[in-house]
Amino acid sequence: MPYLVHSTEDREAMLEALGVATMDDLLVDIPPHLRVDGIDLEPGLSEFETMARVRALAGRNRVFEDRLWFRGGGVYQRFVPAAVSAVTSKPEFYTAYTPYQPEASQGTLQAIFEFQTLIAELTAMDVANASLYDGATALAEAAMMAVVETGRRHVVVAGCLHPEYADVLRCYGDGRGFDLRVGLEHVGSDTAAIVYQQPSFLGLLEDAAGLTELAHRHGALGIACVDPISLGMLAPPGEQGADIAVGEGQQLGLAASYGGPHVGFIACRKELMRRLPGRLVGEGHDDLGRRGFVLTLTAREQHIRRARATSNICTNHSLCALAASVYLTYMGPDGLRQVAEVSYQRAHALAERLAAIPGFELPFPDRQFLNEFPVRMFHVEHHLARLRAAGILGGLPVGPMFPDRPDLEDVAIFCCTEVNDPAALDLLVEVLTASAASVNTRSGAR
Amino acid sequence: MPYLVHSTEDREAMLEALGVATMDDLLVDIPPHLRVDGIDLEPGLSEFETMARVRALAGRNRVFEDRLWFRGGGVYQRFVPAAVSAVTSKPEFYTAYTPYQPEASQGTLQAIFEFQTLIAELTAMDVANASLYDGATALAEAAMMAVVETGRRHVVVAGCLHPEYADVLRCYGDGRGFDLRVGLEHVGSDTAAIVYQQPSFLGLLEDAAGLTELAHRHGALGIACVDPISLGMLAPPGEQGADIAVGEGQQLGLAASYGGPHVGFIACRKELMRRLPGRLVGEGHDDLGRRGFVLTLTAREQHIRRARATSNICTNHSLCALAASVYLTYMGPDGLRQVAEVSYQRAHALAERLAAIPGFELPFPDRQFLNEFPVRMFHVEHHLARLRAAGILGGLPVGPMFPDRPDLEDVAIFCCTEVNDPAALDLLVEVLTASAASVNTRSGAR
Amino acid sequence: MTEPLSFEKSRSALPPPRLPQAGVQTDAQLPEEHRRRRPPALPRLSEAEIMRHYSRLASMNYSISEQFYPLGSCTMKYNPVANEEAARLPGFAGLHPYQDEETAQGALELMWRLERALCSVVGVDRITLQPAAGAHAEWTALRMIQAYHRARGEDRTEVIVPDAAHGTNPASAVLCGFKVVEVRSGADGRVDTADLEAKLSNRVAALMLTNPNTLGLFEREIAEMAEMVHATGAKLYYDGANLNALMGVCRPGDMGFDAVHLNLHKTFTTPHGGGGPGAGPVGVKTDLVPFLPRPTVECDDGAFRLDHDRPQSIGRVRSFYGNFGMLVRAFTYVLAMGGDGLTQASRDAILAANYLRHRLEGVLDLPHEGPCMHEFVASARNLGPHGIKALDVAKGLLERGYYAPTVYFPLIVPEAVMIEPTETESRATLDAFADTVQAIVELARRSPEDLRAEPRSLPVGRLDEVAAARNPVLRWRPNGRDATASSPHEPVRSDTVNDRG
Amino acid sequence: MTEPLSFEKSRSALPPPRLPQAGVQTDAQLPEEHRRRRPPALPRLSEAEIMRHYSRLASMNYSISEQFYPLGSCTMKYNPVANEEAARLPGFAGLHPYQDEETAQGALELMWRLERALCSVVGVDRITLQPAAGAHAEWTALRMIQAYHRARGEDRTEVIVPDAAHGTNPASAVLCGFKVVEVRSGADGRVDTADLEAKLSNRVAALMLTNPNTLGLFEREIAEMAEMVHATGAKLYYDGANLNALMGVCRPGDMGFDAVHLNLHKTFTTPHGGGGPGAGPVGVKTDLVPFLPRPTVECDDGAFRLDHDRPQSIGRVRSFYGNFGMLVRAFTYVLAMGGDGLTQASRDAILAANYLRHRLEGVLDLPHEGPCMHEFVASARNLGPHGIKALDVAKGLLERGYYAPTVYFPLIVPEAVMIEPTETESRATLDAFADTVQAIVELARRSPEDLRAEPRSLPVGRLDEVAAARNPVLRWRPNGRDATASSPHEPVRSDTVNDRG
Ligand SMILES: Cc1ncc(COP(=O)(O)O)c(C=O)c1O
Ligand SMILES: Cc1ncc(COP(=O)(O)O)c(C=O)c1O
């Protein structure tokens, strides 16, 4: 049987060594009425047949060519250096456990220490942890840090936060006992934190420095939810007064993979360090003075503190963090800036061209953006279907996500990255121009 | 620049350490009229653009679904356990050099020692070497062993040998000074060896024991060129008196890859051991009595013996041999037999069904075969085109390969393996039945 | 052998990698006030150096691919390589989570089928695949239980957790706003039902249990406990970390558990990744189904869709639909194993644990009577007279090429050494391991100071964890060391607590 | 740490892996006389055991991925991981060599483009991509030269090879039916042109040279030698193992070489695989084009095809079209590097070699004057008085985490230590290596017996190669040891010759 290692003889020899006749003699503690005999599942398949089935399922999904992805909304197509998966597919990394025994885990530990440094540098914060599940839960953890730090129970959202992140914040708040209020009008002396996404879910730049200042004026924390690639060119949260910075690391070398696994990161000011959730790796030394790395400040953690831990995080997203480290190390500061700049320029060139299509408009023409931006296009679903037919994964229609924002009806957000070469942009514009013309003809010009 | 490691500063510092001003000062030995400045090639691309170009080329090839491959002729589609590439993609294996320093190469050396054993077991011969380039060159090396061993200069081919293998034998013979004669009528006192392929290129079984006996009667060697998978069920060369056994190992876990890299193997009787070409790994011990493995009998080899070496082999196909070892170890004797048997049964079921199609026939109905067999089908190219249109890689038309064998006109050889599931067989038969009907209608029944 | 930090190898003048140029016309420029002032001090290294760096780091790890990893409670079993191939397929890895459902039918079907298969294994009605790990799953389950009680107008504020429970159990309860009440284990290592009776009340929302329990023992009175819990209106939650004992043997759902989590990164062979990503599906009985996170995956006439319209749902516990890549791996494993294979796996896991336990009789202390299930807890207290602790045994194993068992967990066993061999280790490996423990115990008796000096042949010796925590250096700094790092190094305290699972 | 053989771990009762069943109806049965009688004694192991086995073997190797590998003549440079990704693409890996040409246009185009790119690098007219390795390429080139002479009615029987040449050169010549005539190297390490003059005659078919030569020195009089050779009607053959010095710097074709081989597994970063597969294209000038192996790849109006119709061709040197997977890798590398990158690579390789040579001045003997090209040959004869040989220096390097340089090659330098750093090692690595050699030399002086006992920390110490060769055990045997293995183990002879390249 696949993945099992014993022959019948092995099993018999072991039973004999145990002095029992059958396996049932080892199961005596299980009340007979609870015993079942097997599982209601078809018998196992050969690897060949297994993979044929799995491939058939994969084949029932449509994979868009990478250069024709213009959809983001939290998950992006980017160039991933081959080095990334060459590292993460090393069994010494991917089949190790959490590095409890430092002497036998220096590889993982040093990699995490480097990740912590990379994230701290990227965000311009003092410290970062070993990783969290994703951007949304990282934001929830940050909110809970603020709730504990301030002893207050309201978290205010500024600007347009990713609706799934808002859902997750609410779900955590419902349990932990804090609530989410949307809009700066709610800021007051009971505010634990102001949370902002930079750029916002719609791709627009917020006045980050102003928001953190506002938070501090009210004794609240400023929590930034950032796009890690943007930080190659954009002012980082640490330069704008944020107390905690979180984000989603998918863009740093991880496949879209239908939404996961990706990786959340969290970084903060030194003063908040002992409130950080999850794992932290620190530098240490052995009795010969050799440097090594070790899980540290574990007194925050569930396995030591149990009910008084700062979080329940145990398994986190270490291998994804490793991918992000390889990615950032490959890019270096200049490479990362170039990736951000190329994305910026292409998105702006595209925005200008889309705005010029009759019937299309940029709904927030005065707002700055980076590489993702909203476009208002009458009959948005029609246009997206046309794009799909042309093999293009068009922008994300956001209207249905915000039923109480009529200004977002018929709006889709488009993104560009270094994978969307100029010919891909041309194709997109061509298909949308034709699609707009057909709509305008049918429905009369707007 | 990709894959380079120095900064301009590094280069300058090194030049300075050398006490020279520019790189040109290091190139003084090159006569100025021979110097060029650069290469007439476009500048390098980013990894993203490089891979886009390479993927575009890959996209210009048609990949047939594995279960719809019925074409063999020396390269076969088979189930390859994921374990194979998981091992061969380990950088410790694939980025090591030939194991010259045994203490730092025990991984490669032990793997080769195991390969030698696996091949010796499979062929039922005494010893095997570390690998050769492919089946064709392995056969040429075997012929040269026989020429040296017997001091004779003619090699006789029995039965239908793969035409490319025959070409390679001829090319080696033209240089080394032996010639190839096709047909047993040429066997005589000047024959160095009788060479036979089992099963033959057409898939038919030869009387191997009879051929080796004939060879020995004339003081010649019997050289078998075998299909390694077949040896899961078929009598191996060692059981049939062969002196040297060679073959192509592609089926043992290697991708078709448009014909290479694959791997040749060669095995022989103990008495011929010191005539083997290429690398041999043997067991040894260190001063603490620990067992280790080491390149041995190097006195046969070019780097020691130079002009008196048994061959010029230096780099061989080690990593492909590793793949074959993983494959054979995964299968074990019972797994290998099952693979051979399943292929056998499917091929026989298919042959019966194809023979039943009006206008098709088995040209050698009295000959035994395993999993590849010839079918005569009037208008063979038409039928193959119909198959291609249905996404099927049909049998290999062999007529053009044997212009002097009119009996092979309109013949294609079909193969089956464990990847061709019954539904694939049904589809093949269905398409061919329709195709035959259309030809018969157009051209009148045969 | 040590390896410098990537930052320490960086050279400021190294040019960046070649990357695509924009190739478009635009006058747009990011305004100065939004521009980053100081570039991040990421390292500048060539690809060749990066690969060498990580290859060397990799070689400093122990992993299930090379070492026996008998880490109790963690189920470190063989990770099939076919699973990795499956997850890498472009048809899965290349899917955007917001693709239209018609273009992701294969992915949705996979999730739907996986849900059904896991339902069969644990005996529940529906499963959410969203949670990212075990702790996340615990919390998700408690959130559903909380929502259930609230929907009935009850505000239950307590969660009962055994003293032997994994640390994530109480932590998850607190994160969910509950007060944790601890229930004692009896002398036989099982929940003290009298104490449980005493702790139960209508304030209690749930009892969190794992079965086999943390000691690897089956809770014989599980059915009775379920009845007690249900009688007070509370729910019974199953921590699935120990499910590897039970597949095809018995089902948490049949025992009376209302919510059941599974660690795909334990029982279902998704690799642990040096600390994740994992995947922690949660299964529930009908009562709790309305509260499942949204969206769920539904099938109408062979068409698969995401159902967001679940008014009583607790909402989302993370973005998108779960760690999909891990679900692909687990699904591949389930197909290959089948019902028969999974059943045999659990039986073999139990057999291996009992065999190894038997081999260690008289070598280490075995505080509880067998048979055990898939793991067992030994104790190194028999070595106390020699000044040897569980930690020293662990380090001795590292020195000899084995990863260490979980030590100092559960807290109720002094000098705990928790061993889980799993079904994928050969008898030869189990025997060699037992012999090695024996050799270490002999060394402990003969010359304990030598054992306390181990490991000696690994990249580092025992690190001074106390000093590391007192002056935490959590990152490299461009200009010298981290501000908080100042004190000189002190010798290792060999009693450093090291209790994880 | 050692690892048993897979055969030694096998258990006869282990069931085989699950495999597809035939699922078809047929009465056919292989007749008894064709059936195998005794099954092959392949090991029976579970997948988990197999993966553990090979993971452990892998960890016993030094490789360019983890260690500096200054193996002279072998150009062990960084192997880009993108190349591996390219070769794995189904559009390449999944192609049958006998697919119709219309369905393999991308593959044919890749070969066609690679041929053109390599022509530009070395300055020839056409290239065959068929040969599998360097030695195969040498032989292929000689076969073409032989066919050329024969076509002109000349039966030339001799090939001239320098005394410093790689062993494959004379071996290939002999395999091709030639008599080998050796030409001396002069005191400056270059071909003695007077001796060459003496050896040339109308019996000579070719002179085989490499430039830079085996000592890493550029043959300054190459143009003159080419003229001498051509004057006698012979051809000049270029052994491309040392091409890494010359890309964008100068071209063998311009120097007068008629046939030029390239080792894609050296200069063009296809990985060495622990001993192959490689790829050894051979380029030729117009004269030799008709004799190229068939088929060649041609392009007519954008359509690519295989040309089998080449009446003067020497035929085939192997099956199919070459090691296509390696061609994909090399092509990917060439695209990424471009003309500018390849040029810089050669310049950096020369710089690194000179820098390292400079760092070793006064540490080892440097018998020839610099500057060198991409490699250099040092000698350990300065350590002779301490009883230390090149081999001991090599083993000392292994002990300290470096692979060893090529030793005892070329034969014309006593105690040769041939070092090729390549362009992909950082200055920090070169410095650390030089320091290590220095430390070894100091140890050699201080306590040579300690050095001679090295390596001590690797899986095995020095193996007794003489005993291994005297009683060769070349395979495991089901029932005990190989018949030929009987003698007791003798101590290592430290002067074991170890001359490869
Ligand atoms: C018993 C038990 N419960 C819960 C967990 C937490 O699971 P995770 O690490 O996936 O969050 C673990 C993990 O070690 C465990 O052993
Ligand atoms: C100078 C020289 N020529 C020829 C060869 C032979 O090349 P291959 O090993 O690819 O057959 C080598 C390989 O080491 C070499 O260094």
Side-chain angles (χ1 to χ4, degrees), chain C residues 18 47 52 78 336 340 425, chain D residues 18 47 52 78 336 425:
Chain C
R18 273 182 180 150
E47 180 181 320
R52 178 84 55 83
Y78 172 65
D340 52 343
E425 297 294 337
Chain D
R18 273 182 180 150
E47 181 182 319
R52 179 83 56 83
Y78 171 65
E425 297 294 338

Side-chain angles (χ1 to χ4, degrees), chain B residues 97 133 314-315, chain D residues 73-74 133-136 138 166 168-169 239 241-242 261 263 265-266 501:
Chain B
Y97 204 79
Y133 307 138
C314 181
T315 294
Chain D
S73 199
C74 296
H136 200 210
E138 296 168 14
H166 194 263
T168 50
N169 288 190
D239 177 335
N242 294 343
H261 107 248
N263 277 332
H265 47 302
K266 296 183 175 170

Side-chain angles (χ1 to χ4, degrees), chain B residues 1 34-44, chain C residues 18, chain D residues 77 113-124 127 243-252 254 262 267-268 333-347:
Chain B
M1 234 167 284
L34 291 179
R35 286 284 303 279
V36 293
D37 191 19
I39 305 168
D40 181 20
L41 273 181
E42 62 174 328
Chain C
R18 273 182 180 150
Chain D
K77 54 165 94 169
R113 290 192 181 280
L114 178 61
E115 180 183 340
R116 257 96 226 125
L118 297 178
C119 280
S120 300
V121 175
V122 299
V124 294
I127 287 179
L243 185 70
N244 208 44
L246 300 190
M247 294 181 293
V249 173
C250 59
R251 311 196 306 172
D254 298 344
L262 299 89
T267 320
F268 293 89
Y333 174 69
V334 168
L335 275 188
M337 293 298 276
D340 52 343
L342 293 175
T343 302
Q344 188 64 52
S346 280
R347 298 170 71 97

Side-chain angles (χ1 to χ4, degrees), chain B residues 233-246:
Chain B
M233 65 191 291
L234 191 67
E239 283 183 9
Q240 308 204 294
D243 302 286
I244 309 177
V246 300

Side-chain angles (χ1 to χ4, degrees), chain A residues 97 100 133 312 314-315, chain C residues 73-74 133-136 138 166 168-169 210 214 239 241-242 261 263 265-266 272 409 501:
Chain A
Y97 204 80
Y100 292 145
Y133 307 138
N312 66 340
C314 180
T315 292
Chain C
S73 200
C74 297
H136 200 211
E138 296 169 14
H166 194 263
T168 50
N169 288 190
T210 178
T214 308
D239 177 335
N242 293 342
H261 108 248
N263 277 332
H265 46 301
K266 295 182 176 173
H272 204 277
F409 175 72

Side-chain angles (χ1 to χ4, degrees), chain B residues 47-353:
Chain B
E47 182 184 314
F48 179 73
E49 291 154 316
T50 300
M51 292 305 291
R53 292 248 198 128
V54 169
R55 282 205 185 86
L57 284 176
R60 254 167 262 157
N61 298 316
R62 171 134 180 227
V63 181
F64 292 88
E65 210 184 319
D66 53 4
R67 49 191 284 281
L68 300 180
W69 283 43
F70 294 92
R71 187 166 292 189
V75 172
Y76 301 84
Q77 184 68 269
R78 291 212 171 260
F79 157 60
V80 180
V84 172
S85 73
V87 170
T88 57
S89 64
K90 285 181 183 293
E92 298 91 334
F93 282 127
Y94 85 78
T95 79
Y97 204 79
T98 302
Y100 292 145
Q101 295 289 346
E103 302 88 345
S105 312
Q106 282 300 303
T108 296
L109 286 162
Q110 181 168 336
I112 297 175
F113 185 84
E114 293 179 1
F115 175 77
Q116 292 174 177
T117 306
L118 289 162
I119 295 298
E121 277 298 322
L122 202 57
T123 54
M125 305 297 291
D126 294 323
V127 289
N129 89 347
S131 84
L132 291 168
Y133 307 138
D134 69 353
T137 58
L139 185 56
E141 295 283 357
M144 291 190 291
M145 281 173 73
V147 166
V148 175
E149 174 73 12
T150 61
R152 302 174 179 181
R153 300 200 151 263
H154 304 299
V155 172
V156 173
V157 173
C160 186
L161 177 63
H162 193 305
E164 297 206 13
Y165 287 38
D167 280 356
V168 173
L169 267 179
R170 244 176 246 112
C171 188
Y172 273 79
D174 285 350
R176 185 70 182 71
F178 64 86
D179 55 46
L180 207 65
R181 298 179 172 185
V182 179
L184 292 182
E185 61 275 23
H186 299 292
V187 176
S189 59
D190 50 359
T191 302
I194 296 180
V195 167
Y196 63 92
Q197 189 174 358
Q198 176 79 321
S200 78
F201 178 66
L202 300 176
L204 309 174
L205 290 185
E206 303 292 343
D207 173 16
L211 290 170
T212 58
E213 208 196 302
L214 179 68
H216 294 162
R217 251 199 336 267
H218 288 86
L221 302 190
I223 299 177
C225 180
V226 295
D227 169 337
I229 298 278
S230 75
L231 301 182
M233 65 191 291
L234 191 67
E239 283 183 9
Q240 308 204 294
D243 302 286
I244 309 177
V246 300
E248 167 57 58
Q250 177 268 329
Q251 297 187 79
L252 307 174
L254 295 166
S257 195
Y258 210 47
H262 299 156
V263 59
F265 57 84
I266 186 165
C268 67
R269 286 191 293 107
K270 202 158 50 200
E271 296 71 20
L272 295 168
M273 174 174 79
R274 283 170 205 271
R275 295 218 187 277
L276 276 174
R279 311 288 187 184
L280 285 171
V281 170
E283 190 178 294
H285 295 81
D286 70 6
D287 58 351
L288 302 179
R290 289 180 294 191
R291 176 176 73 180
F293 300 93
V294 62
L295 290 174
T296 194
L297 298 186
T298 52
R300 298 163 302 109
E301 285 189 73
Q302 45 76 24
H303 65 278
I304 307 277
R305 282 290 270 270
R306 303 178 68 85
R308 289 178 313 283
T310 57
S311 81
N312 66 341
I313 300 289
C314 181
T315 294
N316 49 99
H317 276 211
S318 211
L319 195 72
C320 303
L322 177 64
S325 293
V326 179
Y327 178 91
L328 289 169
T329 305
Y330 178 95
M331 289 299 169
D334 310 315
L336 193 71
R337 188 180 52 237
Q338 188 173 344
V339 164
E341 292 272 10
V342 167
S343 307
Y344 178 95
Q345 287 174 37
R346 288 185 178 167
H348 282 76
L350 180 64
E352 290 160 21
R353 292 172 71 184

